[in-house]
Amino acid sequence: MSELPPTTSVRRWLVTTNHKDIGILYLITSLFFLLFGGVMALLIRLQLWDPANHILSGLAYNEAVTAHGLIMVFWFLSPFAFAFANYFVPLQIGADDLAFPRLNALSYWMYLFSGVLLGLSFFQGGTLSAGWTMYAPLNVPMYTPTIGSTGAILALFMFVVGVTASTVNFLTSIHHSRAEGMGIMDMPMFTWSILATVWMMLFAFAALLAAMMILGADRVLGSVYFSATEGGSLLWGHLWWFFGHPEVYIVFFPALGVMLELFQTFSGRRLVGRKWVIIAICLIAVQSFLVWMHHMFLTTINLEIKTLMMATTIGISLPFDLLVFALIYTLMKGRIQFTTPFLFAFGALLLFILGGITGVFLGAIVLDYEFRGTYWVVAHFHYVMFGGATALVGGVYYWFPKMTGKMYDEFLGKVHFVTFFLGFNAVYFSMFLAWETPRRVFEYNPAFQPIHQAGTVGAFVLGGSFFIMFYNLAKSYVAGEDAGENPWDYSRTAEWAVPSPPPLENWPNRPSYASGKLEFVKDYVPDGGPAVRADENGNAVTDGGDAHSNHIRAYPHWDKHPSHASIWPFALSLATGIFLFGLSGFRETVTFTLGESLAATGLTVTNPMYPVFAVLGLLALVYTGVKWGLEDFYAPPTEFAERWPFNGVEKVKLGMWFFLASDVIVFGAFISAAVFIRFNAGWRTWQPLTESLPGLINTFVLLTSSFTVILALVAAHRGSRKGVLATLGTTIVLGCTFLAIKLWEWHHEIFHRGVTISANAHGDPIQASIYYVTTGLHGIHVVGGLLIAGFLFYRAYQGAYLDDNRPIEYFGLYWHFVDIVWVFLFPLFYLF
């Protein structure tokens, strides 16, 4: 399946992999979650109308607070920004699509079905009620025992998996597919903001993924990372905020990119200090990982480290000052057009400045002791996150003509802005005035009641303002004026050089900036040969280029066209959702009996249907994964492109590098958690849980399997089908041997020595938790590698990989990484 049905067909939206379609799906879905999270917010504000109000019970109020925070931060703000990133980044860099179109579709469907899982959690005995930061020990079953709580955590896990796919895709696309002549410093500011964002996401969301897996193990398998360890709460704080503070900039940077574009367009001026703005963005991206501990000033961390974190926190404000001054000076030197997009961008700047100033108070240790846990934090947080994201609303109006070919109603747009701005400040500035109100608590000092009532009115005004936007855009889409290619006087990015909306494959010919300006070049393509440059007379030229004879860039008149449709991203995501829904029902009150041995592991369910969903979902996952691999889907690389700093690296290999970099952080978080807990428990009090001989044998087995993968690549180079089959088969046998030894070892420890992760079992549950969960994660990676190796073996049996051995090379990168991880785990669990 490669051809797209028409946009009027439901099937089109289930199978599309085109970046513009995915962008529209992200936009519509994120706006739905805005309404979902907004309803939760209005319930909170109604509860705060009167300190004696009990519209919601205490538990329901906590669920509303948690759901509102999770939905707005994860399911609205970031996807809202990446709706524009999906649609416009390929256009701005001169690409036909993102590097991996099916991966892009997968990231969207993972996002959607994770949101469905979150919605279902309300009907599983109640959703999570631990606050959106999910602080330990409130996040463990003892305090949030419902199935819905586990369902919400697994929904967030699924969301992060989709984010990882999207991150790898955007990094590969921007670094591999920029048009000829577009250097890294020449990219539009919106694309620059997305590049910085996805670099932060690559590492920050990997830490969150690790935290979600560890928390999932605590809830589903019964491990005791966060419930029975002396430093469990502190461990969660480190893992969460190592993600959580970069997340502030992950949310803000795309909005900043929109701000930078709009300020240039509607002032008629190039950005003042553009080079320094880019440097400031890079500095902030790096520094964002060095300030997380200021969220933990009230913990037992020693004062010296807190002081260091205070200094880094204050330091990160300096590049932000540069950004603000650059924006202001750009306006001062321009002729401003007060359109709706500009008003929202300018309003975002004002709101963010106030949010940033109030955040400096929280960066000081002494003041943080006073303000922490109050509505001052809530107000600051919303002025930064939602205030900055106000620019994204401006982005909706700015790019609406390009996406639809229609102009919005300017008068209604300005009414929307005024209503939004007044409602925003009414609800959130009132929180500064009533800052002594404890956060997440609905009973407060009656003296603050008038202020909270004003905030509630403001919340309804703010929520109502979005319906003005919905009406405006719907009316304009149906009966608005034609916008033409470019309705703005001073826009300067490439998306405005094509029709509105853009055609399926974006460009009439290959876009190029080699001459210093955007041009469309028609390349000369010999019959059966690679694409080559053509001069103005259509004759081939041979200087430069990065053409691959086995990957011809497909234009409409060439033999092979790019694929734009696949059902398997949807199917794979649906299977994942079904599996996680089934998994959410485990570890509850009624024992799920498959013999006493399984019951001893702590796997329990309240409804026998949950195991059915889990098994069906797992089988569907394997089936859809195989069908994905067998599908004939063609996504050609850009033949002539700027690829610094990855010149000469093929796009799939580059994507694999980025994925493995993320996985390094995942395992790094697991190993760091093990070391942290061991230090808290007393390093010298622990002895290895198991004998070192099985681990030593397994180390030898895995290292040998790495060698056989190398031999498989050599055999493919030599065109030896039998050699490929023999060496891949040996790798599979060695991998299975590793798993068999590991399973024997686990069986021996659990059933002969009584070492389990149950807090009531014989042995040390803390040490056992770390051992089983960490080596179990590695085992899952081994199983995944064996499934891939089995697929490669099947394809090699059919004669594949002799002409193109790159799939074996990419599998080798993954397998070598898995083996290297074991080299670190072996001494940690078997020797020290």
Side-chain angles (χ1 to χ4, degrees):
M1 180 189 300
S2 62
E3 297 303 319
L4 275 177
T7 56
T8 53
S9 167
V10 173
R11 184 166 167 266
R12 159 72 171 248
W13 303 101
L14 295 178
V15 303
T16 183
T17 62
N18 183 263
H19 72 98
K20 296 180 290 295
D21 291 344
I22 300 299
I24 291 171
L25 288 171
Y26 264 109
L27 183 62
I28 294 172
T29 308
S30 63
L31 290 175
F32 167 78
F33 282 112
L34 169 66
L35 296 177
F36 189 176
V39 169
M40 298 293 105
L42 295 180
L43 288 173
I44 294 168
R45 292 309 314 184
L46 285 174
Q47 186 88 339
L48 294 172
W49 182 263
D50 186 297
N53 253 3
H54 287 89
I55 295 173
L56 301 173
S57 66
L59 178 61
Y61 181 82
N62 288 338
E63 290 178 345
V65 169
T66 303
H68 167 71
L70 290 173
I71 291 168
M72 288 304 204
V73 171
F74 293 105
W75 279 273
F76 167 59
L77 286 172
S78 287
F80 189 37
F82 272 80
F84 301 126
N86 269 275
Y87 202 105
F88 293 108
V89 164
L91 287 165
Q92 289 194 344
I93 65 174
D96 294 334
D97 206 320
L98 291 173
F100 308 111
R102 286 190 298 176
L103 205 60
N104 193 31
L106 179 74
S107 68
Y108 167 74
W109 291 113
M110 285 285 188
Y111 158 58
L112 175 63
F113 287 123
S114 68
V116 172
L117 275 182
L118 183 69
L120 289 174
S121 70
F122 283 88
F123 305 97
Q124 294 180 287
T127 191
L128 188 67
S129 58
W132 82 275
T133 54
M134 297 179 283
Y135 282 142
L138 297 178
N139 55 16
V140 300
M142 180 184 297
Y143 297 100
T144 47
T146 62
I147 300 175
S149 297
T150 304
I153 290 165
L154 294 178
L156 185 54
F157 165 80
M158 185 177 180
F159 173 85
V160 177
V161 170
V163 166
T164 302
S166 180
T167 300
V168 169
N169 206 354
F170 273 94
L171 282 170
T172 306
S173 301
I174 296 173
H175 282 297
H176 195 270
S177 304
R178 299 191 308 276
E180 178 186 33
M182 178 179 279
I184 196 83
M185 295 295 289
D186 301 322
M187 295 191 306
M189 292 310 303
F190 178 69
T191 298
W192 246 111
S193 72
I194 295 299
L195 178 60
T197 299
V198 291
W199 269 114
M200 288 189 291
M201 290 168 64
L202 185 70
F203 303 115
F205 273 94
L208 179 61
L209 183 63
M212 290 298 103
M213 286 191 282
I214 293 173
L215 181 56
D218 271 13
R219 299 193 64 93
V220 175
L221 301 178
S223 61
V224 290
Y225 274 84
F226 302 124
S227 56
T229 66
E230 202 171 304
S233 298
L234 201 57
L235 172 63
W236 175 261
H238 283 298
L239 291 174
W240 174 264
W241 287 117
F242 186 80
F243 150 79
H245 201 81
E247 170 68 2
V248 174
Y249 309 117
I250 287 168
V251 168
F252 176 71
F253 268 15
L256 173 65
V258 173
M259 234 185 291
L260 293 166
E261 296 287 359
L262 269 56
F263 273 45
Q264 293 180 95
T265 296
F266 296 109
S267 69
R269 294 279 302 181
R270 281 183 62 84
L271 179 65
V272 173
R274 186 180 191 274
K275 178 179 71 173
W276 294 104
V277 168
I278 293 173
I279 292 173
I281 288 173
C282 295
L283 285 174
I284 293 166
V286 173
Q287 286 180 270
S288 68
F289 291 94
L290 305 176
V291 300
W292 82 92
M293 216 177 294
H294 72 239
H295 295 276
M296 304 167 67
F297 280 164
L298 270 64
T299 65
T300 57
I301 297 170
N302 68 65
L303 183 59
E304 290 77 12
I305 294 179
K306 290 179 182 178
T307 304
L308 176 62
M309 284 291 166
M310 181 177 71
T312 58
T313 301
I314 302 301
I316 203 172
S317 66
L318 299 179
F320 271 114
D321 295 340
L322 191 154
L323 294 177
V324 170
F325 283 121
L327 288 167
I328 292 173
Y329 277 115
T330 301
L331 295 184
M332 289 174 60
K333 293 178 177 291
R335 302 179 66 179
I336 301 172
Q337 298 175 338
F338 288 94
T339 62
T340 299
F342 173 78
L343 290 174
F344 274 97
F346 185 66
L349 177 61
L350 298 178
L351 297 174
F352 179 76
I353 289 173
L354 182 55
I357 291 172
T358 55
V360 174
F361 289 75
L362 299 173
I365 297 174
V366 175
L367 293 176
D368 188 69
Y369 270 77
E370 184 69 20
F371 287 124
R372 182 66 61 189
T374 70
Y375 264 44
W376 183 281
V377 178
V378 181
H380 155 72
F381 183 80
H382 283 85
Y383 266 93
V384 171
M385 298 283 275
F386 195 22
T390 300
L392 296 175
V393 181
V396 173
Y397 287 104
Y398 179 63
W399 279 309
F400 178 79
K402 177 54 59 180
M403 299 171 78
T404 65
K406 301 289 186 179
M407 279 302 294
Y408 62 87
D409 186 304
E410 186 67 44
F411 173 76
L412 286 177
K414 289 178 177 176
V415 171
H416 175 208
F417 170 73
V418 172
T419 310
F420 174 94
F421 200 74
L422 292 176
F424 185 103
N425 284 285
V427 62
Y428 298 125
F429 196 80
S430 68
M431 295 180 181
F432 283 126
L433 299 178
W435 70 268
E436 292 175 282
T437 305
R439 67 187 302 192
R440 299 177 184 148
V441 176
F442 55 84
E443 294 176 344
Y444 57 87
N445 187 335
F448 296 136
Q449 183 174 349
I451 300 174
H452 281 297
Q453 289 180 341
T456 299
V457 172
F460 278 88
V461 172
L462 175 62
S465 72
F466 281 98
F467 289 94
I468 301 174
M469 182 184 77
F470 296 150
Y471 171 75
N472 186 359
L473 300 184
K475 179 178 78 73
S476 301
Y477 180 74
V478 173
E481 297 179 5
D482 290 337
E485 287 187 3
N486 187 2
W488 314 121
D489 294 331
Y490 302 111
S491 58
R492 49 173 53 85
T493 47
E495 71 267 28
W496 302 106
V498 294
S500 302
L504 181 64
E505 294 180 9
N506 293 348
W507 314 105
N509 287 299
R510 177 173 62 83
S512 173
Y513 290 88
S515 66
K517 62 181 180 180
L518 177 61
E519 296 178 335
F520 296 104
V521 180
K522 185 174 182 179
D523 291 321
Y524 171 71
V525 186
D527 291 340
V532 295
R533 285 186 179 85
D535 60 21
E536 62 273 9
N537 299 318
N539 299 316
V541 295
T542 58
D543 54 330
D546 189 14
H548 302 279
S549 60
N550 56 340
H551 281 286
I552 303 172
R553 186 185 187 282
Y555 287 101
H557 60 282
W558 295 3
D559 290 337
K560 192 168 186 180
H561 293 264
S563 302
H564 296 293
S566 173
I567 193 61
W568 300 115
F570 169 84
L572 187 63
S573 302
L574 178 61
T576 304
I578 293 172
F579 170 67
L580 293 178
F581 177 75
L583 200 61
S584 69
F586 283 83
R587 191 164 174 75
E588 290 296 326
T589 55
V590 179
T591 301
F592 171 54
T593 304
L594 280 181
E596 294 204 19
S597 62
L598 184 57
T601 67
L603 292 176
T604 59
V605 293
T606 53
N607 189 318
M609 286 303 295
Y610 282 111
V612 174
F613 278 112
V615 171
L616 290 177
L618 188 59
L619 293 175
L621 261 174
V622 175
Y623 174 77
T624 53
V626 170
K627 296 296 287 185
W628 176 304
L630 293 174
E631 184 178 36
D632 181 20
F633 189 93
Y634 182 60
T638 305
E639 286 297 332
F640 306 111
E642 300 293 335
R643 295 189 174 124
W644 186 88
F646 300 105
N647 295 319
V649 181
E650 201 272 331
K651 73 170 184 177
V652 180
K653 181 187 288 188
L654 186 58
M656 179 61 75
W657 285 1
F658 288 133
F659 166 73
L660 293 180
S662 176
D663 219 12
V664 166
I665 300 299
V666 171
F667 274 105
F670 270 80
I671 293 171
S672 298
V675 173
F676 180 89
I677 289 176
R678 184 163 180 177
F679 268 113
N680 272 274
W683 186 275
R684 295 182 181 277
T685 63
W686 283 10
Q687 298 296 324
L689 282 177
T690 185
E691 297 178 0
S692 60
L693 182 59
L696 181 62
I697 295 173
N698 260 349
T699 303
F700 175 77
V701 167
L702 271 191
L703 292 178
T704 304
S705 71
S706 268
F707 180 66
T708 58
V709 172
I710 296 173
L711 292 179
L713 187 60
V714 172
H717 271 297
R718 294 178 176 176
S720 171
R721 177 170 167 268
K722 290 183 178 179
V724 172
L725 291 173
T727 49
L728 279 179
T730 304
T731 302
I732 293 171
V733 170
L734 290 171
C736 291
T737 302
F738 173 89
L739 290 178
I741 294 173
K742 176 54 63 180
L743 289 175
W744 173 86
E745 183 182 306
W746 279 18
H747 184 275
H748 177 75
E749 295 300 322
I750 293 171
F751 300 111
H752 291 274
R753 299 184 61 212
V755 179
T756 75
I757 57 178
S758 171
N760 298 315
H762 171 70
D764 188 342
I766 302 173
Q767 188 176 0
S769 293
I770 296 170
Y771 166 71
Y772 288 120
V773 173
T774 307
T775 57
L777 175 66
H778 179 266
I780 291 172
H781 278 70
V782 173
V783 170
L786 289 175
L787 291 174
I788 298 170
F791 177 83
L792 293 177
F793 185 89
Y794 168 75
R795 296 282 290 125
Y797 182 77
Q798 296 180 322
Y801 312 133
L802 300 183
D803 296 326
D804 182 5
N805 53 50
R806 288 173 302 168
I808 297 176
E809 180 185 1
Y810 305 147
F811 166 70
L813 292 175
Y814 172 82
W815 194 253
H816 299 327
F817 168 76
V818 172
D819 295 351
I820 291 170
V821 169
W822 181 255
V823 171
F824 284 90
L825 298 185
F826 171 63
L828 182 63
F829 292 112
Y830 294 86
L831 300 180
F832 294 157

